[in-house]
């Protein structure tokens, strides 16, 4: 997952650091941080695929990069916001994707849990999870 | 920043609020904790986030701008005390679309002059960007020219695909620009300063193809008098383009699979394994899935090749590109031949748009090239087009007179031109078709003043590897 200041980095396209986690049996067994390109969105995906991740948890990510990563067999969980450690817990607990961890204005899962007024609705209809 | 602003009291009064609601620039304010304290209507419209979803949330989670992490304008303004005006960035909205914006900042102070927050104004520059592209009038990547939606998707993906080292499989009918796309990918990739080596796998028999790809050592077979590096060796550090990958034999498929998996190969006649640092782009017009079912193509090789798939649409699915392509080719041939053809006459354009181009863009390029032979300057007229497009036999050139001699000459010229066209400009074949000895044909061509283009149709191999437009 791309991180910044202890939170999920808001925009994957320019994220500077990625936290790599190895997960076995629902527990994190190894972790390390690596620098990312962060300047040219075009090189972000190639830098990420060098680490051969299976899953990417990230903030906002532009559609072309999602497509490219999906084409390289990475499962993308996008538009996630929150403290990094809390998000890790949520992922291990099978809670992602969900509206509780979604960035404002995006519903993370299939159900829309935005407010009583019902004014919020999900723009990210297509979804990119596999 | 000092102090905390209660959520109920925004640092604005109602007069200013109605102004903010009416303007088209997005405006939001943040408090000392970098949480959104106000969010105007335009901000909702540009980001696609409702006000009630934005208020109270961390600014970067809502705004999602390219500058948030390293170059936040507001952070800089707070630090320096100086406002920022028109800083360019982009935001990523909920649909994953990048929206170009320009950002300006201001500091908010209370009555005592203390810093209570910041305000950021941003303008959606998408319209400006689109207008700029319209003015340029075309979308172009490398030598590929298109305005159509399907190609634009390819263009958008291209930089990222180029940047990665993943194997690409390009699928498209003949003449749709598979090699051009491969070159464009190479040219946008980190390997751009290293060789781009195209190989037409369909043009060579299997045994020759093997030695072409992997090279051979001296003495490997009769005629191998020196070492010859293969195409993979020539492409070292760069990109290799395997065109018509569907045409290779099962034996070669196995060898290729190994190269893709292990990144190694052995030249013919040698035992030493060579390492290949080559990016592979493959292309085919065939339906490989069908070929796999027929056991004509290996499934494991397919999955190795099909890491990133790009589909080039046939020209008939993007007819809106024809005017653009005509202009592109006319410009190219004008430059090459030093002519000043002014484009296509309106009825010619109508005819061009009415054809369905089984040969796709290459066919259109040939039509224009042929027209250039007959048309030296001015506009391309109906008479310059081949019969397949006009649906009529080639018209008699206007310079013919009324005498029996000139009319016979005109008919001869017409018959010779038609025979040459039918035989791909191969003089020998045309002579045979006309029942003439080839020197008779050459004499007649000279006597009638028929102008022939450079290609003489003799060499098939060079034609099949010619670039498609």
């Amino acid at each position: 997952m791309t991180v910044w200041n202890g939170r999920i980095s808001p925009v994957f396209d320019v994220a500077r650091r990625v936290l790599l986690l190895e997960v076995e049996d629902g527990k994190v067994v190894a972790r390390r941080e690596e620098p990312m390109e962060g300047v040219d969105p075009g090189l972000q995906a190639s830098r990420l695929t060098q680490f051969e991740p299976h899953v990417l948890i990230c903030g906002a990510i532009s559609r072309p990069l999602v497509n490219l990563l999906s084409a390289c067999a990475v499962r993308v969980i996008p538009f996630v916001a929150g403290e990094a450690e809390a998000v890790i817990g949520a992922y291990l607990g099978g809670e992602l994707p969900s509206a509780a961890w979604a960035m404002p204005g995006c519903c993370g899962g299939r159900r829309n849990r935005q407010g009583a007024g019902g004014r919020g609705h999900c723009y990210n209809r297509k979804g990119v999870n596999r | 920043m000092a102090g905390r602003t209660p959520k109920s009291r925004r640092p604005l009064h109602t007069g200013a609020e109605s102004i903010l609601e009416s303007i088209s620039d997005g405006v939001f304010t943040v408090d000392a904790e970098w949480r959104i304290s106000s969010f105007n209507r335009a901000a909702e419209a540009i980001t696609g986030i409702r006000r009630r979803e934005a208020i109270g949330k961390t600014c970067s989670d809502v705004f999602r701008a390219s500058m948030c992490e390293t170059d936040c304008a507001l952070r800089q303004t707070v630090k320096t005390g100086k406002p920022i005006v028109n800083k360019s960035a982009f935001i990523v909205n909920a649909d994953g679309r990048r929206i170009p914006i320009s950002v300006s900042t201001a500091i908010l102070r209370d009555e005592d002059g203390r810093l209570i927050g910041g305000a950021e104004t941003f303008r959606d520059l998408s319209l400006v960007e689109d207008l700029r592209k319209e003015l340029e009038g075309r979308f172009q990547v490398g030598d590929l020219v298109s305005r159509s939606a399907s190609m634009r998707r390819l263009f958008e993906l291209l930089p990222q695909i180029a940047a990665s080292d993943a194997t690409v499989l390009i699928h498209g009918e003949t003449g749709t620009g598979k090699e051009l796309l491969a070159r464009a990918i190479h040219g946008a990739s980190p390997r751009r300063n290293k060789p781009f080596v195209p190989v037409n796998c369909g043009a060579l028999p299997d045994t020759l193809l093997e030695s072409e790809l992997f090279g051979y050592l001296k003495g490997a077979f009769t005629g191998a008098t020196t070492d010859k590096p293969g195409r993979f060796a020539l492409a070292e550090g760069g990109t290799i383009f395997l065109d018509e990958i569907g045409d290779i034999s099962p034996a070669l498929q196995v060898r290729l699979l190994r190269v893709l998996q292990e990144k190694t190969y052995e030249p013919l006649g040698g035992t030493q394994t060579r390492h290949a640092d080559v990016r592979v782009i493959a292309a085919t017009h065939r339906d490989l899935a069908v070929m796999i079912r027929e056991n004509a193509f290996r499934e494991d090789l397919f999955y190795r090749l099909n890491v990133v798939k790009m589909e080039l649409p046939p020209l008939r699915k993007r007819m809106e590109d024809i005017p653009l392509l005509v202009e592109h080719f006319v410009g190219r041939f004008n430059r090459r031949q030093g002519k000043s053809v002014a484009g296509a006459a309106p009825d010619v354009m109508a005819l061009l748009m009415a054809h369905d181009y089984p040969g796709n863009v290459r066919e259109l390029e040939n039509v224009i090239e042929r027209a250039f032979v007959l048309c030296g300057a001015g506009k391309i007229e109906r008479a310059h087009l081949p019969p397949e497009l006009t649906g009529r036999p080639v018209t008699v050139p206007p310079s013919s007179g009324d005498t029996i001699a000139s009319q016979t000459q005109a008919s001869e010229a017409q018959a010779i031109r038609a025979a040459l066209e039918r035989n791909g400009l191969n003089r020998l074949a045309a002579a045979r078709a006309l029942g003439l000895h080839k020197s008779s044909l050459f004499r007649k061509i000279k006597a009638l003043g028929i102008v022939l283009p450079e290609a003489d149709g003799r060499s098939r191999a060079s034609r099949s590897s010619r670039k498609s437009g």
Side-chain angles (χ1 to χ4, degrees), chain B residues 259-372:
Chain B
V259 180
L260 290 176
Q261 274 171 182
E262 324 270 331
K263 305 237 179 274
T264 58
Y265 63 93
E266 288 93 29
L268 265 65
T271 48
Q272 196 184 38
T273 308
R274 301 265 169 91
H275 182 257
D277 171 19
V278 177
R279 195 242 177 102
V280 175
I281 301 179
T284 181
H285 67 281
R286 297 184 188 281
D287 187 341
L288 292 182
V290 167
M291 288 182 73
I292 291 173
R293 280 200 292 277
E294 291 169 354
N295 284 327
F297 201 83
R298 294 183 65 107
E299 196 171 6
D300 44 10
L301 178 59
F302 174 70
Y303 285 119
R304 277 283 159 181
L305 291 170
N306 200 33
V307 178
V308 178
K309 179 164 179 193
M310 299 182 87
E311 185 79 42
L312 274 173
L315 185 55
R316 61 184 177 281
K317 293 230 172 91
R318 47 174 187 119
M319 298 296 269
E320 66 269 32
D321 282 340
I322 289 180
L324 209 56
L325 286 163
V326 168
E327 194 186 310
H328 178 74
F329 290 134
V330 165
R332 183 198 289 177
F333 291 129
N334 272 340
R335 273 191 303 275
R336 243 190 239 168
Q337 300 178 16
K339 287 190 175 173
S340 47
V341 171
D347 58 333
V348 167
M349 193 56 86
L351 281 172
L352 289 173
M353 299 285 287
H355 190 49
D356 68 329
Y357 299 100
N360 293 294
V361 184
R362 191 190 280 131
E363 185 179 348
L364 177 62
E365 185 183 7
N366 284 353
V367 168
I368 305 293
E369 192 172 11
R370 221 184 249 127
F372 259 68

Side-chain angles (χ1 to χ4, degrees), chain B residues 98-407:
Chain B
R98 276 195 214 133
I99 300 176
I101 55 166
S102 106
V103 163
S104 304
T105 59
I107 295 180
L108 299 172
R109 299 181 190 280
D110 63 10
E111 304 88 29
D112 303 314
R114 272 187 314 223
L115 206 75
I116 50 171
E120 200 156 316
T121 312
F122 58 102
R123 175 171 305 160
D124 183 347
L125 292 178
S126 323
L127 191 58
V128 171
E129 286 287 305
D130 285 344
L131 286 175
R132 196 172 53 79
K133 279 188 188 156
E134 273 301 305
L135 278 177
E136 278 171 24
R138 60 178 55 192
F139 296 99
Q140 187 163 1
V141 171
D143 240 346
L144 291 164
V145 172
S146 175
R147 227 183 214 141
S148 72
S150 49
M151 290 294 278
R152 202 185 310 182
R153 276 193 286 278
L154 276 180
F155 290 172
E156 268 169 15
L157 275 179
L158 195 127
Q160 287 88 353
I161 291 177
S164 94
D165 232 18
T167 304
V168 179
L169 180 61
I170 301 174
H171 185 254
E173 287 178 16
T174 171
T176 46
K178 297 190 285 292
E179 181 169 338
L180 280 184
L181 182 58
R183 281 185 189 274
I185 294 173
H186 173 78
S189 75
R191 292 175 180 267
R192 66 178 76 92
N193 294 321
K194 296 283 178 155
F196 173 86
V197 178
V199 182
N200 189 328
C201 302
L204 294 171
D206 220 49
T207 40
L208 274 183
L209 185 56
E210 197 175 0
S211 68
E212 267 299 297
L213 287 175
F214 305 116
Y216 54 80
L217 299 179
K218 180 168 146 182
F221 47 81
T222 321
T225 47
T226 52
D227 291 355
K228 184 175 175 219
R231 299 291 176 107
F232 272 100
L234 291 173
E236 184 68 22
T239 309
I240 193 170
F241 174 56
L242 302 170
D243 200 359
E244 296 313 330
I245 193 89
D247 288 0
I248 65 177
S249 71
L252 206 45
Q253 288 177 31
V254 174
R255 288 207 69 179
L256 200 53
L257 177 62
R258 171 138 180 270
V259 180
L260 290 176
Q261 274 171 182
E262 324 270 331
K263 305 237 179 274
T264 58
Y265 63 93
E266 288 93 29
L268 265 65
T271 48
Q272 196 184 38
T273 308
R274 301 265 169 91
H275 182 257
D277 171 19
V278 177
R279 195 242 177 102
V280 175
I281 301 179
T284 181
H285 67 281
R286 297 184 188 281
D287 187 341
L288 292 182
V290 167
M291 288 182 73
I292 291 173
R293 280 200 292 277
E294 291 169 354
N295 284 327
F297 201 83
R298 294 183 65 107
E299 196 171 6
D300 44 10
L301 178 59
F302 174 70
Y303 285 119
R304 277 283 159 181
L305 291 170
N306 200 33
V307 178
V308 178
K309 179 164 179 193
M310 299 182 87
E311 185 79 42
L312 274 173
L315 185 55
R316 61 184 177 281
K317 293 230 172 91
R318 47 174 187 119
M319 298 296 269
E320 66 269 32
D321 282 340
I322 289 180
L324 209 56
L325 286 163
V326 168
E327 194 186 310
H328 178 74
F329 290 134
V330 165
R332 183 198 289 177
F333 291 129
N334 272 340
R335 273 191 303 275
R336 243 190 239 168
Q337 300 178 16
K339 287 190 175 173
S340 47
V341 171
D347 58 333
V348 167
M349 193 56 86
L351 281 172
L352 289 173
M353 299 285 287
H355 190 49
D356 68 329
Y357 299 100
N360 293 294
V361 184
R362 191 190 280 131
E363 185 179 348
L364 177 62
E365 185 183 7
N366 284 353
V367 168
I368 305 293
E369 192 172 11
R370 221 184 249 127
F372 259 68
V373 170
L374 300 168
C375 163
K379 289 215 172 224
I380 297 178
E381 301 288 338
R382 199 187 173 109
H384 306 135
L385 293 180
E388 308 92 70
L389 264 77
T390 58
R392 297 190 289 136
V394 176
T395 52
V396 174
S399 55
S400 65
D402 274 337
T403 64
I404 219 30
S406 58
Q407 292 210 38

Side-chain angles (χ1 to χ4, degrees), chain A residues 17-62:
Chain A
R17 297 198 72 74
V18 64
L19 178 61
L20 301 163
L21 303 160
E22 259 183 66
V23 176
E24 250 172 62
D25 292 330
K27 286 202 175 52
V28 174
V29 299
R31 69 197 286 166
R32 69 180 202 275
E33 268 191 38
E34 293 280 348
M36 290 278 281
E37 234 288 324
V39 173
D40 182 352
L43 295 174
Q44 283 290 75
S46 76
R47 175 80 177 127
L48 186 75
T49 50
Q50 277 172 15
F51 302 121
E52 294 182 351
H54 297 116
V55 179
L56 168 70
I57 301 171
C58 64
I61 177 173
S62 58

Side-chain angles (χ1 to χ4, degrees), chain A residues 56-61 66 76-80 97 101-103 108 124 128-129:
Chain A
L56 168 70
I57 301 171
C58 64
I61 177 173
V66 170
V76 182
I77 305 179
F79 294 97
V80 173
W101 296 98
M103 287 182 137
N124 192 6
V128 291
N129 304 311

